Amino acid sequence: MPPSSLRVVYAFAREMYPKTTDVFIQYGTAGFRTKANLLEHVVYRMGLLAVIRSRVKNGRTIGIMITASHNLEPDNGVKLVDPDGEMLDGSWEEIATRMANVSDTELEATTADVIRQVGADMALKASVYVGMDTRYTSPRLASAAVHGAMALKGTPKEFGIVTTPMLHFFVKCRNDETYGTPSEEGYYQKIVGAFKRLRARMPVAGEYNNTLYVDGANGVGGKKLNIIKKTLDGELDLHMFNTGGNGGKLNLNCGADHVKSTQTAPVGVEHVPWQRVASLDGDGDRIVYYYIDDKNKLNLLDGDRIATLLASYVNQLLKEIGASDLSVALVQTAYANGASTKYITEQLKMPVTCVSTGVKHLHHEALKYDVGVYFEANGHGTVVYSGKTKEAVRKIFEEGDQEQRKAASILLDIIDMTNETVGDALSDLFLVETALCARGINTKQWMQLYDDLPCQLMKLSVKDRNVVTTADADQQSTSPEGLQSRIDELVANIPSGRSFVRASGTEDVVRVYAEADTQENVQKLAAQVAQAVYDLAGGVGTRPTLPE
Ligand code: 16G
Ligand code: MG
């Protein structure tokens, strides 16, 4: 493409998406996220970048998702999806940040420069898939993405309101037709179809019952589950709450993030003691379970619990098919409760690794194994199966003895039910329901598999959060000087103590995590570590105080 045709890049910017703010914006772990009214020019520019990326990838499809996940309604965001349905390659985050922050008059030259830098052949075709969540600001932003794609002569395709994991799925299917059909219908056919097939031959047994309450966070996940509910035929008795009607506000006092971080029940759900509830986040890529017991206490089954349940079930099936050379590994972050890690190593006897926070780190690590189960404690995660594993299971399904074939057919449906591209609340929900049903256990029995250590998360403001750096998957502080040795001293005084500190990638704060043998000790440890951060990293506002 001759440079003159980049004129239109500037024309669109000036006429429709002028940059009206000088606030610097950075592509973080979840893309760009801020107040929706500051985003139009950013999303337009991501449309440009998606076309460049598609051409660098030989015309394979790139995704753009408009969402701010679990943030409240006034926020919005944008992230790019790579051809295999994965998060945008880390090395492009800097390019995205550069494109987003240059002035309108520099945009044409910067675009040309980026095209040169990445070696994009602008004569190639380019394909961009665009999806959005339910926010009222999303349609305008989706249009900005489409115009960005058109400005560089790419071919955009809009999917309207879809969950984030659906868009990842569509992108993957478009680039690899063996994975499925790139449409909402194709998604339901593959994922829900596998669940229904499996349920038809798996009797509801033991303590498991098929009634499930769902908190939809008033977002897109609940809406889509309502569509799915209509096609279920008694396989699962879904009771939907917070699906966006009745004036319920997106993510406001409801949804997976609310339940996980406040450990309190969402508004809008009619609770029945012991009833299993699944809580989704605003864009449908996170899920946690919980129940309220007869003492009105909320019992949380978070990402760690989901990971251990799924890993042990898949491992059991691999044993049943006799694939002893295939193994299941778990991937966690430092936020995983220490009790879950201990349960995985000592009881399940499975390998477990710890990686830095952020989905892309977990995903890439999980891909190294025959079966990789990754989850963040906050409920984002999935299972990935290697090509070798899929082939082996298929072969046993065709050639094994009767028992082996039976287990292999279950495993094939489980693989189909999994959205392997990214954590997916809907796919995870069906996987959890399958594992619980197969085991014949209720939520209380699931909870009894191990006891969580008391833990606490705190956040505090410092002058510049970038002075806090970490190594070893967030577990060691490398700066400010003296912080790690102070944490070591504090932890040594507390039984089962563990604590680490990291700068948030999504908020201007430093996060402190602590766990210990008792509630009292964990509060003390978290406050002491927070004080150390305040003193050594330039705390702002009041110094954290120790509990009475
Ligand atoms: C983002 C990440 C999530 C991580 C969270 C941590 C993706 C898609 N999302 O939401 O995995 O848990 O950031 O937030 O990577 P923090 O940096 O503010 O603690
Ligand atoms: Mg989300």
Side-chain angles (χ1 to χ4, degrees), residues 33 69-70 79 164 281-286 380:
R33 201 180 286 185
S69 185
H70 54 273
K79 57 185 165 189
T164 297
D281 80 335
D283 65 332
D285 68 351
R286 276 167 62 177
H380 186 111

Side-chain angles (χ1 to χ4, degrees), residues 467-472 474-484 487 501:
V467 302
V468 176
T469 57
T470 61
D472 190 14
D474 299 330
Q475 299 170 104
Q476 295 285 320
S477 295
T478 38
S479 72
E481 209 186 317
L483 180 58
Q484 188 55 47
I487 295 176
V501 167

Side-chain angles (χ1 to χ4, degrees), residues 405-460:
R405 286 212 306 269
K406 194 173 153 204
S409 84
I410 296 179
L411 210 39
L412 287 176
D413 277 338
I414 298 232
I415 293 171
D416 273 352
M417 210 187 297
T418 311
N419 184 347
E420 290 180 75
T421 62
V422 78
D424 181 336
L426 304 185
S427 155
D428 290 340
L429 180 150
F430 291 118
L431 287 168
V432 167
E433 293 300 316
T434 302
L436 291 175
C437 178
R439 291 265 152 102
I441 58 173
N442 62 27
T443 344
K444 193 172 163 195
Q445 291 164 316
W446 178 15
M447 193 66 159
Q448 281 164 345
L449 294 175
Y450 64 84
D451 290 323
D452 270 325
L453 284 168
C455 63
Q456 186 160 357
L457 200 54
M458 285 177 69
K459 55 182 178 185
L460 72 165

Side-chain angles (χ1 to χ4, degrees), residues 29-30 79 87 357-359 376 378 502 504-507 511:
T29 41
K79 57 185 165 189
M87 300 286 164
T357 296
V359 173
E376 292 190 303
N378 64 23
R502 59 177 274 282
S504 159
T506 63
E507 277 180 84
R511 299 197 196 284

Side-chain angles (χ1 to χ4, degrees), residues 27 53 60-63 79-89 167-169 171-172 175 359-360 363-364 367 374 384 420-422:
Y27 197 101
R53 179 88 182 138
R60 296 176 86 207
T61 296
I62 298 294
K79 57 185 165 189
L80 297 194
V81 178
D82 258 354
D84 282 321
E86 301 173 32
M87 300 286 164
L88 176 68
D89 189 279
L167 187 79
H168 285 251
F169 176 91
V171 169
K172 168 74 179 169
N175 293 319
V359 173
K360 60 175 182 277
H363 190 88
H364 285 140
L367 288 175
Y374 73 82
V384 290
E420 290 180 75
T421 62
V422 78

Side-chain angles (χ1 to χ4, degrees), residues 461-465 467-468 479-480 483 510 532-539:
S461 299
V462 296
K463 272 186 229 101
D464 173 10
R465 74 186 198 277
V467 302
V468 176
S479 72
L483 180 58
V510 173
V533 175
Y534 185 93
D535 295 344
L536 296 168

